[in-house]
Amino acid sequence: MNPLVQLAAPTASNLDAHNPPEKELIDDCVHCGFCLPACPTYLLWGEEMDSPRGRIYMMKKAMQGQIPLDTTFQTHMDNCLGCMACMTACPSGVQYGKLIEDTRAQMERNIPRSTGDSLFRKLLFATFPYSGRLRLLALPMLVYQRSGLQSLVRKSGLLKLLPARLAAMEALLPRVPTRLFSKLPPAVDADKPGRRVGMLSGCVQQVFFQHVNTATARVLAAEGCDVIIPEDQACCGALMLHSGLDQEAAAKARKLIAAFESAGVETIVINAAGCGSTMKEYGYLLRGDPLWAARAEAFSAKCKDISEILAELPSRTPMHPLPMRIAYHDACHLRHAQGVFEQPRALLGRIPELEVATVAESDICCGSAGVYNLLHPEPANALGDRKVKNLLAIEAHAVVSANPGCLLQLMNGLRRQGMHAMPTFHMVELMDASMRGLTPEQLLREQDRQR
Ligand code: SF4
Ligand code: SF4
């Protein structure tokens, strides 16, 4: 057990005393079951303990000392994607996000994992949150892809011999950009002094989706913002927080807060939904830290998704036609965790000749969910296939989302369906293309050059 964690005073609870899920939040659940049809794991398996209601019930029983923190408990909590679709569906306002985060932190402290599972998780958390390490690791991957070895290996069937998690890693690897070490400048100015905003460059985003960051900064500047991209910013801690590593996530949060405080910005813009939802919850994450709680609250209040800020700003750049029919996929951490649903649609609606088609089951997760698709490839692929089937049913020219994790998951799902050539875009790339008067073909060529 973590030595910093105080042992609970004698009580029947099987949870330790460090931020256990709050009883009042557990008691908000009235067991009505409205959340069940919204829950992807319940849809997959029809198992009550893999539903939001079942998981909250297990938390309550563990809190009352009636069930142990054991591998059964761990499995059902691990199976949760953290997609927060249950929060959107719940009429009682149950704050499931807080409950699952506190529960997972309890699990990481109190339920041992197998050596293999533990090592794999350590590998993920030692690489993904560090853009420098990711770049170094991506170098051999660049050679693997550009030499043609990747397509040979994929065709040979060799990947089927790999353990499922390693095979998932290979399958999810995006096209590595040739300008792997290029970075955005520390500031991108509007043509006349404007609103001073900070921008998160992200970890995976700044390595594999540099073109999305470039488009984000350009669109913000075009709409009158001076964009500050602090060089000392690092990972927001989302992957750790969603996996129960609350102390590690808190340490990342403190560093990020300090970096943006020094930048003196009035708004912090995020173009990755998973990061945005975590940064908006820093106040809760650091609630027990007297030195940081107020700073964390103030920081969270400044955070906005790129679609929120663009929808707020008076539109000043003319939009040119972009004749395409697109399938827009809602990232769960945008729609459910942040409640951002209308804004991306309103922004895409400003683009002349762009048709946004309605996708069936748009509120169901694609299976990405942070590192869920690496830790649980089988259900993640089942959800990915279900999502891609719905996206393809509307015969769109491209798939659009607002989260790097979803884009990777959708690209992988499209490949499994033989749809390698289907383009995928972040919403802000379309805004940028329309502002610059690019045709769909020019946009595709540009994306291809940048990747
Ligand atoms: S989480 Fe909400 S919707 Fe689900 S059972 Fe509890 S009260 Fe009902
Ligand atoms: S977060 Fe998603 S997977 Fe987890 S219980 Fe809620 S709806 Fe189900």
Side-chain angles (χ1 to χ4, degrees):
M1 184 188 290
N2 183 333
L4 295 174
V5 175
Q6 260 185 298
L7 283 172
T11 163
S13 176
N14 284 329
L15 306 174
D16 69 40
H18 181 72
N19 291 342
E22 289 173 26
K23 181 177 180 309
E24 295 69 31
L25 299 187
I26 289 180
D27 288 344
D28 283 342
C29 176
V30 296
H31 315 295
C32 65
F34 281 122
C35 54
L36 268 58
C39 175
T41 53
Y42 187 76
L43 286 183
L44 284 180
W45 302 311
E47 159 65 51
E48 175 71 17
M49 292 306 132
D50 283 317
S51 77
R53 183 174 64 184
R55 292 186 178 112
I56 294 170
Y57 184 73
M58 290 182 80
M59 292 170 198
K60 184 170 189 163
K61 290 286 152 192
M63 189 179 67
Q64 293 171 339
Q66 292 179 16
I67 59 167
L69 291 189
D70 60 6
T71 49
T72 305
F73 184 92
Q74 187 183 48
T75 300
H76 292 299
M77 297 301 163
D78 276 354
N79 282 344
C80 171
L81 291 123
C83 68
M84 308 306 157
C86 46
M87 295 209 323
T88 303
C90 177
S92 304
V94 169
Q95 298 181 56
Y96 181 83
K98 291 177 178 170
L99 291 175
I100 190 72
E101 263 159 32
D102 289 338
T103 301
R104 284 186 162 156
Q106 291 276 335
M107 282 169 30
E108 290 316 299
R109 289 193 295 270
N110 298 308
I111 312 177
R113 292 192 176 275
S114 70
T115 310
D117 191 19
S118 182
L119 281 176
F120 187 74
R121 285 167 188 263
K122 282 198 174 109
L123 169 77
L124 295 184
F125 299 123
T127 49
F128 278 51
Y130 302 93
S131 56
R133 294 180 196 173
L134 263 186
R135 284 190 165 95
L136 287 179
L137 274 176
L139 259 181
M141 295 299 115
L142 180 66
V143 177
Y144 171 63
Q145 287 181 337
R146 302 301 161 96
S147 65
L149 186 59
Q150 182 178 46
S151 77
L152 276 179
V153 169
R154 284 185 173 178
K155 279 184 200 143
S156 71
L158 274 175
L159 293 173
K160 292 195 184 116
L161 303 176
L162 283 181
R165 285 175 166 182
L166 290 182
M169 258 186 165
E170 200 284 341
L172 285 159
L173 179 69
R175 192 172 151 86
V176 181
T178 34
R179 294 174 64 211
L180 194 51
F181 290 87
S182 78
K183 286 186 185 169
L184 281 175
V188 178
D189 293 336
D191 47 11
K192 51 185 174 191
R195 181 167 166 172
R196 189 177 160 89
V197 305
M199 183 181 143
L200 182 83
S201 45
C203 310
V204 172
Q205 190 83 312
Q206 70 166 294
V207 177
F208 296 110
F209 292 90
Q210 295 165 9
H211 54 290
V212 175
N213 277 353
T214 305
T216 305
R218 201 156 44 206
V219 167
L220 284 167
E223 292 296 79
C225 296
D226 291 327
V227 187
I228 312 298
I229 306 149
E231 289 180 282
D232 54 348
Q233 64 174 300
C235 170
C236 68
L239 294 183
M240 280 92 153
L241 185 62
H242 297 158
S243 304
L245 303 175
D246 60 346
Q247 303 296 324
E248 291 82 347
K252 299 272 180 216
R254 290 185 195 100
K255 277 192 184 158
L256 199 64
I257 293 168
F260 278 98
E261 280 176 349
S262 311
V265 293
E266 55 189 90
T267 304
I268 299 157
V269 182
I270 303 120
N271 60 14
C275 306
S277 69
T278 297
M279 290 160 66
K280 287 181 179 180
E281 292 291 331
Y282 277 180
Y284 185 74
L285 175 64
L286 296 175
R287 64 194 180 283
D289 184 334
L291 292 177
W292 287 86
R295 288 166 75 177
E297 284 287 356
F299 174 92
S300 291
K302 290 182 183 175
C303 291
K304 284 186 194 295
D305 183 72
I306 178 68
S307 61
E308 288 180 285
I309 186 165
L310 290 178
E312 247 175 59
L313 291 167
S315 168
R316 65 179 216 179
T317 311
M319 308 294 283
H320 302 280
L322 197 59
M324 293 170 80
R325 175 177 163 82
I326 61 151
Y328 179 74
H329 162 68
D330 285 290
C332 293
H333 281 99
L334 198 54
R335 177 172 188 170
H336 301 305
Q338 299 184 55
V340 176
F341 173 76
E342 297 292 345
Q343 295 92 330
R345 288 169 173 77
L347 293 169
L348 292 168
R350 286 185 197 168
I351 303 178
E353 298 181 32
L354 183 82
E355 190 189 343
V356 184
T358 304
V359 182
E361 297 187 339
S362 65
D363 47 357
I364 301 287
C365 180
C366 65
S368 165
V371 286
Y372 188 92
N373 49 2
L374 297 173
L375 293 171
H376 306 277
E378 204 180 310
N381 283 349
L383 291 169
D385 289 342
R386 184 173 178 139
K387 178 63 65 183
V388 164
K389 199 167 135 242
N390 285 323
L391 292 169
L392 293 176
I394 57 174
E395 299 185 353
H397 300 128
V399 172
V400 176
S401 191
N403 192 41
C406 300
L407 289 170
L408 294 177
Q409 172 78 350
L410 297 175
M411 287 177 206
N412 187 25
L414 287 164
R415 268 197 300 273
R416 275 201 305 279
Q417 301 293 323
M419 299 295 289
H420 302 66
M422 171 72 86
T424 52
F425 298 106
H426 189 289
M427 182 277 298
V428 80
E429 289 181 86
L430 300 189
M431 296 291 291
D432 179 49
S434 170
M435 286 177 179
R436 293 161 60 216
L438 298 187
T439 63
E441 294 73 27
Q442 286 170 325
L443 169 61
L444 262 178
R445 277 201 295 277
E446 190 176 280
Q447 194 193 58
D448 204 43
R449 269 200 310 277
Q450 289 172 339
R451 273 186 179 174

